[in-house]
Amino acid sequence: MKKAYTLLITIVLITIFSVFGIFILETKSLRSTNLTNQYLYIQAKNHKNFLKDYLKDMDLKNINHLKIEDDLFDIYAKVEPKDSTFIIDIFVKAKDYNISLYERVIKE
């Protein structure tokens, strides 16, 4: 009878520690994914701000589309002239992750 109780307690303890182990690993995995997404979002935001500042200083008379080559992101802008202003749509999208940014800028 003692062996049965010992076996039962052992099985219960192994189950409890296994469940706790799985919770810890899931938490670490989720934290790692969140840090990766946060890093990529900050990098995409920096790309968008750089392109916005670059286009504000540039002469846009003969430009309809502008694309910057990058390994991790698709970075491009569409320029639409309207009267004396330009409407610029800036797009930044990560190639391998679900992160994308968009901003519309009006340059006069």
Side-chain angles (χ1 to χ4, degrees):
M1 198 65 168
K2 276 187 167 182
K3 290 182 182 182
Y5 286 123
T6 306
L7 183 60
L8 180 64
I9 290 173
T10 304
I11 291 173
V12 169
L13 288 176
I14 288 174
T15 304
I16 289 172
F17 286 129
S18 297
V19 169
F20 283 141
I22 290 171
F23 285 145
I24 290 170
L25 292 176
E26 285 177 353
T27 303
K28 285 188 177 194
S29 175
L30 186 60
R31 185 178 299 150
S32 174
T33 303
N34 284 343
L35 284 175
T36 302
N37 287 341
Q38 183 181 13
Y39 168 76
L40 288 172
Y41 176 77
I42 291 170
Q43 191 173 0
K45 193 172 179 182
N46 287 338
H47 285 310
K48 181 182 63 83
N49 289 335
F50 168 77
L51 186 57
K52 181 171 73 171
D53 292 341
Y54 179 72
L55 288 173
K56 282 187 174 181
D57 295 336
M58 191 174 176
D59 183 25
L60 300 173
K61 288 183 182 174
N62 296 326
I63 297 174
N64 292 333
H65 185 77
L66 181 70
K67 183 175 182 176
I68 297 176
E69 297 293 328
D70 190 66
D71 293 336
L72 297 175
F73 293 95
D74 291 325
I75 307 166
Y76 60 96
K78 294 181 182 178
V79 180
E80 182 181 330
K82 280 202 176 178
D83 299 329
S84 64
T85 62
F86 293 96
I87 298 174
I88 306 166
D89 294 322
I90 300 172
F91 301 92
V92 178
K93 182 177 184 329
K95 291 181 178 178
D96 297 331
Y97 296 92
N98 190 18
I99 295 173
S100 61
L101 298 175
Y102 165 78
E103 185 174 352
R104 177 171 272 188
V105 178
I106 298 175
K107 179 181 176 184
E108 296 185 21

